[in-house]
Amino acid sequence: MKTLLKNCKLNNETVNILIKDSIFYYIGKNTPDADTEYDLKNLIVIPGIIDPHVHVRDLKQSEKEDWTSASNAALRGGITTIFDMPNTRPPTVNLQYLNLKREKAKTAKINYKFNIAATSQNITKLIEILDTKPEDVAALKLFLAGSNSNEYVDNKSDIKRIFEISSKYDLPVIIHTELQKCVEKFSSKVKNPTVKEHNFMRNRECSVRGTELVISLAKEIGNKIYLAHISTAEEIDIIQNNKNKCRVYCEITPHHLLLNENVLEKAGNFGKVNPPLRTEKDNKRIMQGINDGTVDTIGTDHAPHLISEKLKNYLETPSGFPGLETALPLLLNEVNKENFSLKRLTELTSEKSAEIFKLKKRGQIKEGFFADLTVIDLNKTWKIEAKNFKTKAKYSPYEGITGKGDIVMTFVNGKLKLKSKIL
Ligand code: DOR
Ligand code: ZN
């Protein structure tokens, strides 16, 4: 099966791309024969987005999201590979539960891998999984604080053991760096809190101290640490200063880049997320971190919950909101505003994740690589209306925001999985 994409704009050049089965077979000026042809009329093509940070749910929380709804949301967002997080019901803490998840994930329409939980209780079970040399495991996931209802690790010796395992099996540890005791300390200071106090209660100090701690331990042990959803200016500074001293990688989310606590006036609990939305100063430093090379990747932290749960009062409502469909349009809007280049964006959303998590022949549009590809139109305008989302979580702190730059087609392994009306 051959598919020809004619007149693609790739790195500022107009080329034809021939996909044979699941692979980019030819990229250049020739016009080879194919079974199917699309004239892209000079629309830009970028590598399919790789998102290392997605909460698919399913299993006992399929009312919040399942592999079909998550896949459809990903495709709408130009995302072709996702890594599923382990804080599911049941949690991905042993081979039996991983196997349950593997069964469910067979319905996925995108590429996927699993991040498996590393806790104080499951070390033996974790080793049991890793000893099977699983090709579908991307990383270990370590929480240093409770965030909804995950298990967390709050002592140094267990963190070190987990880092040693990470080193032995050469798998990165993805870390949620907020520290539990610190969160408890600040939370206890507020009586009758609302979401406006969320940023104080899960205080920036808790993220900063957690980041310092894991960097110091990774220096000792030498494993790869991938710090998820970095939210503060201080952490960007710390990571920048330690980049050459240990194997630390920095993930940011679109919401910590583009939103801050000011949005909570309007968004209310829809904007409750961990780590919390911080301040404008943090947004600016994260943007700077994108351009100075400190930030390595962008993950969505797609964290769907029922809208009925998100309408509960602050203390009862779970943290998190959907992000698969909004991430790339929001980021393309930033490219249009010249806050960073399209090239830098594709490094952050595809190339670097493929490198950190060792995805073979993915993350770039190159002959011989898997044909995961997203066609974009930088001039197409949009307005975020959660009622139109493909995810089951039809709410968003971005509701009503407008911008420019959208997804037109999404190809996964050479197959067209999404096509917008405009082409
Ligand atoms: O806001 C969040 N939601 N942060 C997390 O760490 C977990 C996530 C979830 O699973 O809902
Ligand atoms: Zn998460």
Coordinates of all heavy atoms in Angstrom, one line a residue, residues 155-232:
N155 N 10.0 8.7 51.4 CA 11.2 8.6 52.1 C 12.4 8.3 51.1 O 12.2 7.7 50.0 CB 11.1 7.5 53.1 CG 11.1 6.1 52.5 OD1 12.1 5.5 52.1 ND2 9.9 5.6 52.3
K156 N 13.5 8.9 51.5 CA 14.7 8.9 50.6 C 15.2 7.5 50.2 O 15.6 7.3 49.0 CB 15.8 9.6 51.3 CG 16.2 10.9 50.8 CD 17.5 11.3 51.4 CE 17.8 12.8 51.4 NZ 19.0 13.1 52.1
S157 N 15.1 6.6 51.2 CA 15.7 5.3 50.9 C 14.9 4.6 49.8 O 15.5 3.9 48.9 CB 15.9 4.5 52.1 OG 14.7 4.2 52.7
D158 N 13.6 4.7 49.8 CA 12.8 4.0 48.8 C 13.0 4.7 47.4 O 13.1 4.1 46.4 CB 11.3 4.0 49.1 CG 11.0 3.0 50.2 OD1 11.9 2.1 50.4 OD2 10.0 3.0 50.8
I159 N 13.1 6.1 47.4 CA 13.4 6.8 46.2 C 14.7 6.3 45.6 O 14.8 6.0 44.4 CB 13.5 8.3 46.4 CG1 12.1 8.8 47.0 CG2 13.8 9.0 45.1 CD1 12.1 10.3 47.3
K160 N 15.7 6.1 46.4 CA 17.0 5.6 46.0 C 16.9 4.2 45.4 O 17.5 3.9 44.3 CB 18.0 5.6 47.1 CG 18.7 7.0 47.3 CD 19.6 7.0 48.5 CE 21.0 7.1 48.3 NZ 21.8 7.4 49.5
R161 N 16.2 3.4 46.0 CA 16.0 2.0 45.5 C 15.4 2.0 44.1 O 15.8 1.3 43.2 CB 15.1 1.2 46.4 CG 15.9 0.5 47.6 CD 15.1 -0.4 48.3 NE 14.9 -1.7 47.6 CZ 14.0 -2.6 48.0 NH1 13.2 -2.4 49.0 NH2 13.9 -3.8 47.3
I162 N 14.4 2.9 44.0 CA 13.7 3.0 42.7 C 14.7 3.6 41.7 O 14.7 3.1 40.5 CB 12.4 3.9 42.9 CG1 11.4 3.1 43.7 CG2 11.9 4.3 41.5 CD1 10.3 4.0 44.3
F163 N 15.5 4.5 42.0 CA 16.5 5.1 41.1 C 17.5 4.0 40.7 O 17.9 3.9 39.5 CB 17.2 6.2 41.7 CG 16.4 7.5 41.7 CD1 15.1 7.5 41.4 CD2 17.0 8.8 41.9 CE1 14.3 8.7 41.4 CE2 16.3 10.0 41.9 CZ 15.0 9.9 41.6
E164 N 17.8 3.1 41.6 CA 18.8 2.0 41.3 C 18.2 1.1 40.3 O 18.8 0.6 39.4 CB 19.2 1.3 42.6 CG 20.3 2.0 43.3 CD 20.4 1.7 44.8 OE1 19.7 0.8 45.3 OE2 21.2 2.4 45.5
I165 N 16.9 0.8 40.5 CA 16.2 -0.1 39.5 C 16.1 0.6 38.1 O 16.4 0.0 37.1 CB 14.8 -0.4 40.0 CG1 14.9 -1.3 41.3 CG2 13.9 -1.1 38.9 CD1 13.6 -1.4 42.0
S166 N 15.8 1.9 38.2 CA 15.8 2.7 36.9 C 17.1 2.6 36.2 O 17.2 2.4 35.0 CB 15.4 4.1 37.2 OG 16.2 5.1 36.5
S167 N 18.2 2.7 37.0 CA 19.5 2.6 36.4 C 19.8 1.2 35.9 O 20.3 1.1 34.7 CB 20.5 3.0 37.5 OG 21.8 3.0 37.0
K168 N 19.5 0.2 36.6 CA 19.8 -1.2 36.2 C 19.1 -1.5 34.9 O 19.7 -2.2 34.0 CB 19.4 -2.1 37.4 CG 19.6 -3.6 37.0 CD 19.5 -4.5 38.2 CE 19.6 -5.9 37.6 NZ 18.7 -6.9 38.4
Y169 N 17.8 -1.2 34.8 CA 17.0 -1.5 33.6 C 17.1 -0.5 32.6 O 16.4 -0.6 31.5 CB 15.6 -1.9 34.1 CG 15.5 -3.1 34.9 CD1 15.6 -3.1 36.3 CD2 15.3 -4.4 34.3 CE1 15.5 -4.2 37.0 CE2 15.2 -5.5 35.0 CZ 15.3 -5.5 36.4 OH 15.3 -6.6 37.1
D170 N 17.8 0.6 32.8 CA 18.0 1.7 31.9 C 16.6 2.3 31.4 O 16.4 2.4 30.2 CB 18.8 1.3 30.7 CG 19.4 2.5 29.9 OD1 19.4 3.6 30.5 OD2 19.7 2.3 28.7
L171 N 15.8 2.5 32.4 CA 14.5 3.2 32.1 C 14.4 4.5 32.9 O 14.7 4.5 34.0 CB 13.3 2.3 32.6 CG 12.8 1.1 31.7 CD1 11.7 0.4 32.4 CD2 12.4 1.6 30.3
P172 N 13.9 5.5 32.2 CA 13.8 6.8 33.0 C 12.7 6.7 34.1 O 11.8 5.9 33.9 CB 13.3 7.8 31.9 CG 13.4 7.1 30.6 CD 13.5 5.6 30.8
V173 N 12.9 7.5 35.1 CA 11.8 7.6 36.1 C 11.1 8.9 35.9 O 11.8 10.0 35.9 CB 12.3 7.6 37.6 CG1 11.2 7.5 38.6 CG2 13.3 6.6 37.8
I174 N 9.8 8.9 35.6 CA 9.1 10.1 35.5 C 8.6 10.5 36.9 O 8.0 9.7 37.6 CB 7.8 9.9 34.6 CG1 8.3 9.4 33.2 CG2 7.0 11.2 34.5 CD1 7.1 9.2 32.2
I175 N 8.9 11.7 37.3 CA 8.6 12.1 38.7 C 7.7 13.3 38.8 O 7.9 14.3 38.2 CB 10.0 12.4 39.4 CG1 11.0 11.3 39.2 CG2 9.7 12.6 40.9 CD1 12.4 11.6 39.7
H176 N 6.7 13.1 39.7 CA 5.8 14.2 40.1 C 6.5 14.7 41.4 O 6.5 14.0 42.4 CB 4.4 13.6 40.4 CG 3.4 14.6 40.8 ND1 2.2 14.8 40.1 CD2 3.4 15.6 41.8 CE1 1.5 15.8 40.7 NE2 2.2 16.2 41.7
T177 N 7.1 15.9 41.3 CA 8.0 16.3 42.4 C 7.4 17.0 43.6 O 8.2 17.3 44.5 CB 9.1 17.2 41.8 OG1 8.5 18.4 41.3 CG2 9.9 16.6 40.7
E178 N 6.1 17.3 43.6 CA 5.6 17.9 44.8 C 5.8 16.9 46.0 O 5.6 15.7 45.9 CB 4.1 18.1 44.7 CG 3.7 19.2 43.7 CD 2.2 19.3 43.6 OE1 1.5 18.4 43.0 OE2 1.6 20.3 44.1
L179 N 6.2 17.5 47.2 CA 6.5 16.7 48.4 C 5.3 16.6 49.3 O 4.8 17.7 49.7 CB 7.7 17.3 49.2 CG 9.1 17.2 48.5 CD1 10.1 17.9 49.4 CD2 9.5 15.7 48.3
Q180 N 4.9 15.4 49.7 CA 3.7 15.2 50.5 C 3.7 16.0 51.8 O 2.7 16.7 52.1 CB 3.5 13.7 50.7 CG 2.3 13.4 51.6 CD 1.0 13.7 50.8 OE1 0.9 13.8 49.6 NE2 -0.1 13.8 51.6
K181 N 4.8 15.9 52.5 CA 4.7 16.5 53.9 C 4.6 18.0 53.7 O 3.9 18.7 54.5 CB 6.0 16.2 54.6 CG 6.0 14.7 55.1 CD 7.0 14.5 56.3 CE 6.9 13.1 56.8 NZ 7.6 12.1 55.8
C182 N 5.2 18.6 52.7 CA 5.2 20.0 52.5 C 3.7 20.4 52.1 O 3.2 21.4 52.6 CB 6.2 20.3 51.4 SG 6.2 22.0 50.8
V183 N 3.1 19.6 51.2 CA 1.7 19.9 50.8 C 0.8 19.9 52.1 O 0.0 20.7 52.3 CB 1.2 18.9 49.8 CG1 -0.2 19.0 49.5 CG2 2.0 19.0 48.5
E184 N 1.1 18.9 52.9 CA 0.2 18.8 54.2 C 0.4 20.0 55.0 O -0.5 20.6 55.6 CB 0.6 17.5 54.9 CG 0.0 16.3 54.3 CD 0.5 15.0 54.9 OE1 1.1 15.0 55.9 OE2 0.3 13.9 54.2
K185 N 1.7 20.4 55.1 CA 2.0 21.6 56.0 C 1.3 22.9 55.5 O 0.6 23.5 56.3 CB 3.5 21.8 56.0 CG 4.0 23.0 56.9 CD 5.5 23.2 56.8 CE 5.8 24.3 55.8 NZ 7.2 24.6 55.7
F186 N 1.4 23.1 54.3 CA 0.8 24.4 53.7 C -0.8 24.2 53.7 O -1.5 25.2 54.0 CB 1.3 24.7 52.3 CG 2.6 25.4 52.4 CD1 3.8 24.7 52.2 CD2 2.7 26.8 52.7 CE1 5.0 25.3 52.2 CE2 3.9 27.4 52.7 CZ 5.1 26.7 52.5
S187 N -1.3 23.0 53.4 CA -2.7 22.8 53.4 C -3.4 23.1 54.7 O -4.5 23.6 54.8 CB -3.1 21.4 52.9 OG -2.6 21.2 51.6
S188 N -2.6 22.7 55.8 CA -3.2 22.8 57.1 C -3.4 24.3 57.5 O -4.0 24.6 58.5 CB -2.4 22.0 58.1 OG -1.2 22.7 58.3
K189 N -2.7 25.2 56.8 CA -2.8 26.6 57.2 C -4.0 27.3 56.7 O -4.2 28.5 57.1 CB -1.5 27.3 56.6 CG -0.2 26.9 57.2 CD 0.9 27.7 56.7 CE 2.2 27.1 57.2 NZ 3.4 27.8 56.9
V190 N -4.8 26.7 55.8 CA -5.9 27.4 55.3 C -7.2 26.8 55.7 O -7.4 25.6 55.6 CB -5.9 27.3 53.7 CG1 -7.0 28.2 53.1 CG2 -4.5 27.8 53.2
K191 N -8.1 27.7 56.3 CA -9.4 27.2 56.7 C -10.4 27.5 55.6 O -10.3 28.5 54.9 CB -9.9 28.0 58.0 CG -8.9 27.7 59.1 CD -9.7 27.3 60.4 CE -8.8 26.6 61.4 NZ -7.6 27.3 61.7
N192 N -11.3 26.6 55.3 CA -12.3 26.7 54.3 C -11.7 27.2 52.9 O -12.1 28.2 52.4 CB -13.4 27.8 54.7 CG -14.0 27.4 56.0 OD1 -14.3 26.2 56.2 ND2 -14.2 28.4 56.9
P193 N -10.8 26.4 52.4 CA -10.2 26.9 51.1 C -11.1 26.8 49.9 O -12.0 26.0 49.9 CB -9.0 25.8 51.0 CG -9.5 24.6 51.7 CD -10.4 25.1 52.8
T194 N -10.7 27.6 48.9 CA -11.4 27.5 47.6 C -10.2 27.3 46.6 O -9.0 27.3 47.0 CB -12.1 28.8 47.2 OG1 -11.1 29.8 46.9 CG2 -13.0 29.3 48.2
V195 N -10.5 27.1 45.4 CA -9.5 26.8 44.4 C -8.5 27.9 44.3 O -7.3 27.7 43.9 CB -10.1 26.5 43.0 CG1 -10.7 27.8 42.3 CG2 -9.1 25.8 42.1
K196 N -8.9 29.1 44.8 CA -7.9 30.3 44.7 C -6.7 30.1 45.7 O -5.7 30.7 45.5 CB -8.6 31.6 45.0 CG -9.6 32.0 43.9 CD -10.0 33.4 44.0 CE -11.1 33.6 43.0 NZ -12.0 34.6 43.3
E197 N -6.9 29.2 46.7 CA -5.8 28.9 47.6 C -5.0 27.7 47.2 O -4.1 27.3 47.8 CB -6.4 28.6 49.0 CG -6.7 29.9 49.8 CD -8.0 30.5 49.4 OE1 -9.0 29.8 49.3 OE2 -8.1 31.7 49.2
H198 N -5.4 27.0 46.1 CA -4.8 25.8 45.7 C -3.2 26.0 45.5 O -2.4 25.2 45.9 CB -5.4 25.3 44.4 CG -5.1 23.9 44.0 ND1 -5.3 22.8 44.9 CD2 -4.6 23.3 42.9 CE1 -5.0 21.7 44.3 NE2 -4.5 22.0 43.1
N199 N -2.9 27.1 44.9 CA -1.5 27.4 44.6 C -0.7 27.7 45.9 O 0.5 27.5 45.9 CB -1.4 28.6 43.6 CG 0.0 29.0 43.3 OD1 0.9 28.2 43.3 ND2 0.2 30.3 43.0
F200 N -1.4 28.2 46.9 CA -0.7 28.3 48.2 C -0.6 27.0 48.9 O 0.5 26.6 49.4 CB -1.5 29.3 49.1 CG -0.9 29.4 50.5 CD1 0.2 30.2 50.7 CD2 -1.5 28.7 51.5 CE1 0.8 30.2 52.0 CE2 -0.9 28.7 52.8 CZ 0.3 29.5 53.0
M201 N -1.7 26.2 48.9 CA -1.7 25.0 49.7 C -0.7 23.9 49.1 O 0.0 23.3 49.8 CB -3.1 24.4 49.7 CG -4.0 25.3 50.6 SD -5.7 25.0 50.7 CE -5.9 23.4 50.5
R202 N -0.8 23.8 47.8 CA 0.3 22.9 47.2 C 1.4 23.9 46.7 O 1.6 24.1 45.6 CB -0.3 22.1 46.0 CG -1.5 21.2 46.5 CD -1.9 20.3 45.4 NE -1.0 19.2 45.1 CZ -1.1 17.9 45.5 NH1 -2.1 17.5 46.2 NH2 -0.2 17.0 45.1
N203 N 2.0 24.3 47.7 CA 2.9 25.5 47.6 C 4.1 25.2 46.6 O 4.6 24.1 46.5 CB 3.5 25.9 49.0 CG 3.9 27.3 49.0 OD1 5.0 27.6 48.6 ND2 3.1 28.2 49.5
R204 N 4.5 26.3 46.0 CA 5.6 26.2 45.0 C 6.9 25.6 45.7 O 7.6 24.9 45.1 CB 6.0 27.6 44.4 CG 6.2 28.7 45.4 CD 6.2 30.1 44.8 NE 7.2 30.2 43.7 CZ 6.8 30.4 42.4 NH1 5.5 30.5 42.1 NH2 7.7 30.5 41.5
E205 N 7.0 25.9 47.0 CA 8.1 25.4 47.8 C 8.1 23.8 47.7 O 9.2 23.2 47.7 CB 8.0 25.9 49.2 CG 9.1 25.5 50.1 CD 8.9 25.9 51.6 OE1 8.4 27.0 51.8 OE2 9.2 25.1 52.4
C206 N 6.9 23.2 47.7 CA 6.9 21.8 47.7 C 7.4 21.2 46.4 O 8.1 20.1 46.4 CB 5.4 21.3 47.9 SG 4.6 22.1 49.3
S207 N 7.1 21.8 45.3 CA 7.7 21.4 44.0 C 9.2 21.6 43.9 O 10.0 20.8 43.5 CB 7.0 22.2 42.8 OG 5.7 21.9 42.8
V208 N 9.6 22.8 44.4 CA 11.0 23.2 44.3 C 11.9 22.2 45.1 O 12.9 21.7 44.7 CB 11.2 24.7 44.8 CG1 12.7 25.0 44.8 CG2 10.5 25.6 43.8
R209 N 11.4 22.0 46.4 CA 12.2 21.1 47.2 C 12.3 19.7 46.7 O 13.3 19.0 46.8 CB 11.7 21.2 48.7 CG 12.1 22.5 49.4 CD 11.7 22.6 50.8 NE 11.6 21.3 51.5 CZ 10.7 21.0 52.4 NH1 9.7 21.8 52.7 NH2 10.7 19.8 52.9
G210 N 11.1 19.2 46.1 CA 11.1 17.9 45.6 C 12.1 17.8 44.4 O 12.8 16.8 44.2
T211 N 12.1 18.8 43.6 CA 13.0 18.8 42.4 C 14.5 18.8 42.9 O 15.3 18.0 42.3 CB 12.7 20.0 41.5 OG1 11.4 19.8 40.8 CG2 13.8 20.3 40.5
E212 N 14.8 19.6 43.9 CA 16.1 19.6 44.4 C 16.5 18.2 45.0 O 17.6 17.7 44.7 CB 16.2 20.6 45.6 CG 16.4 22.0 45.1 CD 16.2 23.1 46.2 OE1 15.7 22.7 47.3 OE2 16.6 24.2 46.0
L213 N 15.6 17.6 45.7 CA 15.8 16.3 46.3 C 16.2 15.2 45.2 O 17.2 14.5 45.3 CB 14.6 15.8 47.1 CG 14.7 14.4 47.6 CD1 15.8 14.2 48.7 CD2 13.3 13.9 48.2
V214 N 15.3 15.1 44.2 CA 15.5 14.1 43.2 C 16.8 14.3 42.4 O 17.4 13.4 41.9 CB 14.3 13.8 42.3 CG1 13.2 13.2 43.2 CG2 13.8 15.0 41.6
I215 N 17.1 15.6 42.1 CA 18.3 15.9 41.4 C 19.5 15.4 42.2 O 20.5 14.8 41.7 CB 18.4 17.4 41.0 CG1 17.4 17.6 39.8 CG2 19.8 17.8 40.5 CD1 17.3 19.0 39.3
S216 N 19.5 15.7 43.5 CA 20.7 15.3 44.3 C 20.8 13.8 44.3 O 21.9 13.3 44.3 CB 20.6 15.9 45.7 OG 19.6 15.2 46.5
L217 N 19.7 13.1 44.4 CA 19.8 11.6 44.4 C 20.2 11.1 43.1 O 21.0 10.1 43.0 CB 18.5 11.0 44.9 CG 18.0 11.4 46.3 CD1 16.7 10.8 46.6 CD2 19.0 10.9 47.3
A218 N 19.7 11.7 42.0 CA 20.1 11.2 40.6 C 21.6 11.5 40.4 O 22.2 10.7 39.6 CB 19.3 11.9 39.6
K219 N 22.1 12.5 41.0 CA 23.6 12.7 40.9 C 24.4 11.6 41.5 O 25.4 11.1 41.0 CB 24.0 14.0 41.6 CG 23.7 15.2 40.8 CD 24.2 16.5 41.5 CE 23.8 17.7 40.8 NZ 23.9 18.9 41.6
E220 N 23.9 11.1 42.6 CA 24.5 9.9 43.3 C 24.4 8.7 42.5 O 25.4 7.9 42.3 CB 23.8 9.7 44.6 CG 24.5 10.0 45.9 CD 23.6 9.7 47.1 OE1 23.4 8.5 47.4 OE2 23.1 10.7 47.7
I221 N 23.2 8.4 41.9 CA 22.9 7.1 41.4 C 23.2 7.1 39.8 O 23.5 6.0 39.3 CB 21.5 6.6 41.8 CG1 21.6 6.4 43.3 CG2 21.1 5.4 41.1 CD1 20.3 6.3 44.0
G222 N 23.0 8.2 39.2 CA 23.4 8.3 37.8 C 22.2 7.8 36.8 O 22.5 7.6 35.7
N223 N 21.0 7.7 37.4 CA 19.9 7.3 36.5 C 19.3 8.5 35.8 O 19.6 9.6 36.1 CB 18.9 6.5 37.3 CG 18.2 7.4 38.4 OD1 18.9 8.2 39.0 ND2 16.9 7.4 38.5
K224 N 18.4 8.1 34.8 CA 17.7 9.2 34.1 C 16.5 9.6 34.8 O 15.6 8.7 35.1 CB 17.2 8.5 32.7 CG 17.8 9.1 31.5 CD 17.1 8.5 30.3 CE 17.9 8.6 29.0 NZ 17.2 8.0 27.9
I225 N 16.3 10.9 35.1 CA 15.1 11.3 35.7 C 14.4 12.3 34.8 O 15.1 13.2 34.2 CB 15.3 12.0 37.1 CG1 16.3 13.1 37.1 CG2 15.7 10.9 38.1 CD1 16.4 13.9 38.4
Y226 N 13.1 12.2 34.7 CA 12.3 13.0 33.8 C 11.3 13.7 34.7 O 10.4 13.1 35.2 CB 11.6 12.1 32.8 CG 10.7 12.7 31.8 CD1 11.1 13.1 30.5 CD2 9.3 12.8 32.2 CE1 10.1 13.6 29.6 CE2 8.4 13.4 31.3 CZ 8.8 13.8 30.0 OH 7.9 14.3 29.1
L227 N 11.5 15.0 34.9 CA 10.6 15.7 35.8 C 9.4 16.2 35.1 O 9.4 17.0 34.2 CB 11.4 16.9 36.5 CG 12.8 16.4 37.1 CD1 13.4 17.6 37.8 CD2 12.6 15.2 38.0
A228 N 8.2 15.7 35.6 CA 7.0 15.9 34.9 C 6.4 17.3 35.3 O 6.7 17.8 36.3 CB 6.0 14.9 35.2
H229 N 5.7 17.9 34.4 CA 4.9 19.1 34.6 C 5.6 20.1 35.5 O 5.0 20.5 36.6 CB 3.5 18.8 35.0 CG 3.3 17.8 36.0 ND1 4.0 17.7 37.2 CD2 2.4 16.7 36.0 CE1 3.6 16.6 37.8 NE2 2.6 16.0 37.2
I230 N 6.7 20.6 35.1 CA 7.5 21.6 35.9 C 6.7 22.9 35.9 O 6.3 23.4 34.8 CB 8.9 21.7 35.4 CG1 9.7 20.5 35.7 CG2 9.6 23.0 35.9 CD1 9.8 20.2 37.2
S231 N 6.4 23.5 37.1 CA 5.5 24.6 37.1 C 6.1 25.9 37.6 O 5.4 26.9 37.6 CB 4.3 24.2 38.0 OG 4.8 23.9 39.4
T232 N 7.3 25.9 38.2 CA 7.8 27.1 38.8 C 9.1 27.6 38.1 O 9.9 26.8 37.6 CB 8.1 26.9 40.3 OG1 9.2 26.0 40.4 CG2 6.9 26.4 41.0

